[in-house]
Amino acid sequence: MGIPTPEAARKLLAKYNSEAFHLQHGETVSGVLGFFARTFDPGQVDYWRTVGMLHDIDFEQYPDEHCVKGIDILREEGVDEPVIRSAMSHGWGQTGSPWEPESMMEKILFTVDELTGLIGAAALMRPSKSVSDMEVSSIKKKFKDKKFAAGCSRDTIRQGAEMLGWELDELFSRTLDAMKSLEG
């Protein structure tokens, strides 16, 4: 397989995941990474999108071996090692992933995986059920409320912002802009 296209990555994700939530999360993270790639690596937008689509390939079937079992799955599917490394590095320090995020793409994935979940949950609480009318202040409020979207690790989001050298406000703003672009 080598380096799958975003479309091939979508099919591969669906081969191992059937829950709508996991499929939608793959689409969201793929789109957000594509948005960031247009700024940081414009020649590799599809590559970034593919990595985003595949990052949780193992989560539905193997939640206790997340980012470890994914390595095996992607290798068995013939996916190139750099894609595997980038996709599975988002679990560094949390799931047993052997790879620390190093590239800009890996650091962004590490950070936005959790943050898109928090923003998505906040959007569902809005009358519009959308991020289109959301402001950064809403994200900050939800981020501070540890009971809201409790499964989204604030520590990982903070750690990722530090890796990127971004203040939380900048991270929230950029990620919100990315998510808004997916609704447009």
Side-chain angles (χ1 to χ4, degrees), residues 3 13 38 67 76 82 85 91 97 100 105 113 119 125-126 146 153-154 159-160 167 171-172 179:
I3 300 173
L13 179 66
R38 286 189 275 288
C67 295
E76 288 168 14
R85 185 212 188 286
S97 171
E100 179 176 354
M105 175 185 52
D113 180 36
I119 294 171
M125 302 298 293
R126 304 178 70 76
K146 290 182 179 29
S153 170
R154 275 68 167 171
Q159 185 180 7
E167 296 295 325
L171 172 65
F172 295 164
M179 292 181 74

Side-chain angles (χ1 to χ4, degrees), residues 60-129:
E60 187 175 312
Q61 292 183 18
Y62 306 99
D64 296 333
E65 298 176 81
H66 181 42
C67 295
V68 176
K69 188 66 176 169
I71 296 168
D72 298 334
I73 290 170
L74 293 172
R75 283 180 178 156
E76 288 168 14
E77 293 289 346
V79 174
D80 281 3
E81 286 296 316
V83 176
I84 297 170
R85 185 212 188 286
S86 292
M88 296 300 113
S89 70
H90 81 279
W92 177 72
Q94 306 163 69
T95 67
S97 171
W99 298 299
E100 179 176 354
E102 293 176 354
S103 70
M104 187 63 153
M105 175 185 52
E106 292 168 357
K107 291 174 183 178
I108 290 172
L109 174 59
F110 178 84
T111 309
V112 303
D113 180 36
E114 297 292 320
L115 183 54
T116 57
L118 185 128
I119 294 171
L124 293 175
M125 302 298 293
R126 304 178 70 76
S128 66
K129 306 281 189 228

